[in-house]
Amino acid sequence: QHPCSIVPNRGSIMARLVLAVALVSLLCLPGLAQPAPAPADSTEQDDDSTQPAEKEATPAPKPSKEELAKQALSRATEARKEALEHADDAIKKLKAFVHLFDDHADAKTAAAGIEESAQKDVEKSAEDDENTFRSRLRTLVKSGSGGDSKEVAAAAKKANRAAKDVELSAGDDKAKAMRKQRNHIQKATKEEAHTLAREAREGAHAAVKAAHTLERAQRHAGVKEDIYERALDRNERIGEGMEDQAQDLQDKAEDKIERYFGTVEGRAEPLEDDVREESAKHFAGERRAVRGEKKQAGEEAQKVRAAAKKAAADAKAEAKAAKAKEASA
């Protein structure tokens, strides 16, 4: 029976649920008695409570063991290829580093560069020492004006000490800085060789490890035993050969570094001697300047004392003459 034909009475209102009465009344309104036509390209839409549950998406079928084995084989093949390329690149870097020391023609340039760097290291202290010397030399020049020989001698002593400091900073300190620079560069170069060799060995070891992973993947994928065993043997030989090559290159690098820096040292030592010799000459010149200024300051002090003595004598004579004049008067 259509809902619109239901005519509710007092007795039935009390017997029905409120929700059912409301629903019947709603359906009896004009335009709502018949359900609206469903669109041609969609299913009928009703209240969520009347909709059938949507069908769940059908899960993708799980890959078979064979497919999983093929995927693992593909990954292992790619990983072994990448490991081998990485190891090969590391070997090439180590070779290139070793070749840097094949030619010793630039050892002279390297030594000159070390001297220049050392000069920059001591430049500030040498400049300060030189300024100190100049200041004390000026003090020495003025020391004679007081007429005190002890003051002149003390000023000369300080000036000589400052001149010695100049010699040390420009000579010994610079030579020491050159040796320090050379040793530092040599140490850093050896450390770089060790780092490159270690990376090459680790890369080769990783390639061998990847070869074993590939062998297991081939076995699980059903590759013939003689094929994956031959491949593993070949890959192991390649990786182990790279490890041996890395060690050989490291030994060769250390030997070449020793010989190269021996050549650099041979070029640098004469420069260090020249630095000390030039510094000694400079020091000798400053000592001469101190002696000259000390002599002049001493002579000036002597003149000041003589003038003071003469002035005292003249004052005494004048006082005596004045006293005698008073007595005769």
Side-chain angles (χ1 to χ4, degrees), residues 4 9 23 39 55 60 101 129 153 179 193 280 297:
C4 289
N9 53 44
L23 179 60
K55 293 182 179 180
F101 303 96
D129 290 340
R179 288 196 301 273

Side-chain angles (χ1 to χ4, degrees), residues 12-243:
S12 64
I13 289 176
M14 297 303 295
R16 297 177 184 273
L17 295 173
V18 176
L19 181 61
V21 174
L23 179 60
V24 170
S25 300
L26 179 63
L27 291 173
C28 290
L29 291 175
L32 293 179
Q34 298 295 330
D41 58 347
S42 64
T43 58
E44 182 176 349
Q45 298 292 324
D46 285 331
D47 187 78
D48 290 344
S49 62
T50 63
Q51 282 293 321
E54 293 184 1
K55 293 182 179 180
E56 295 183 358
T58 304
K62 293 184 178 180
S64 64
K65 289 184 178 181
E66 291 76 8
E67 291 173 335
L68 291 174
K70 287 181 180 180
Q71 293 173 6
L73 176 58
S74 177
R75 291 192 298 270
T77 301
E78 184 64 24
R80 186 263 172 186
K81 178 184 176 183
E82 291 178 357
L84 195 61
E85 289 175 350
H86 177 75
D88 188 55
D89 288 343
I91 290 290
K92 288 178 180 178
K93 288 181 182 178
L94 183 55
K95 282 183 178 179
F97 183 81
V98 172
H99 290 326
L100 291 175
F101 303 96
D102 286 345
D103 186 5
H104 287 194
D106 66 339
K108 183 177 181 180
T109 303
I114 290 172
E115 180 187 12
E116 182 179 355
S117 179
Q119 175 62 34
K120 291 180 180 179
D121 287 345
V122 302
E123 191 170 23
K124 182 63 170 63
S125 61
E127 182 180 355
D128 291 344
D129 290 340
E130 184 68 29
N131 290 336
T132 299
F133 169 73
R134 295 300 173 190
S135 175
R136 291 183 177 179
L137 193 63
R138 288 192 295 270
T139 300
L140 173 60
V141 171
K142 298 176 183 178
S143 64
S145 60
D148 189 348
S149 298
K150 291 182 178 180
E151 183 179 352
V152 172
K157 185 177 181 180
K158 289 182 178 180
N160 279 324
R161 189 182 302 120
K164 185 63 177 178
D165 290 340
V166 172
E167 180 190 22
L168 291 175
S169 60
D172 287 349
D173 289 353
K174 183 177 178 180
K176 290 177 182 177
M178 289 176 67
R179 288 196 301 273
K180 183 179 179 180
Q181 285 278 351
R182 186 174 67 250
N183 293 336
H184 174 74
I185 295 172
Q186 184 174 358
K187 180 181 178 182
T189 304
K190 286 183 177 180
E191 289 176 351
E192 179 66 13
H194 292 167
T195 298
L196 291 174
R198 186 184 68 252
E199 291 176 352
R201 287 194 301 271
E202 290 174 351
H205 181 72
V208 173
K209 186 176 180 180
H212 281 274
T213 302
L214 176 60
E215 181 267 341
R216 288 192 297 271
Q218 288 174 325
R219 179 156 35 90
H220 291 150
V223 178
K224 292 182 179 180
E225 183 176 355
D226 61 332
I227 294 177
Y228 66 68
E229 284 185 350
R230 284 200 303 272
L232 176 61
D233 183 62
R234 182 179 64 254
N235 291 333
E236 282 183 330
R237 287 199 306 272
I238 292 173
E240 291 169 357
M242 283 183 166
E243 288 189 71

Side-chain angles (χ1 to χ4, degrees), residues 239-269:
E240 291 169 357
M242 283 183 166
E243 288 189 71
D244 293 339
Q245 187 179 14
Q247 185 59 53
D248 291 342
L249 287 170
Q250 179 180 350
D251 295 340
K252 186 178 293 186
E254 290 177 351
D255 180 63
K256 287 192 173 185
I257 289 170
E258 286 291 338
R259 287 190 283 115
Y260 175 78
F261 279 96
T263 304
V264 172
E265 183 177 359
R267 296 283 188 177
E269 285 181 345

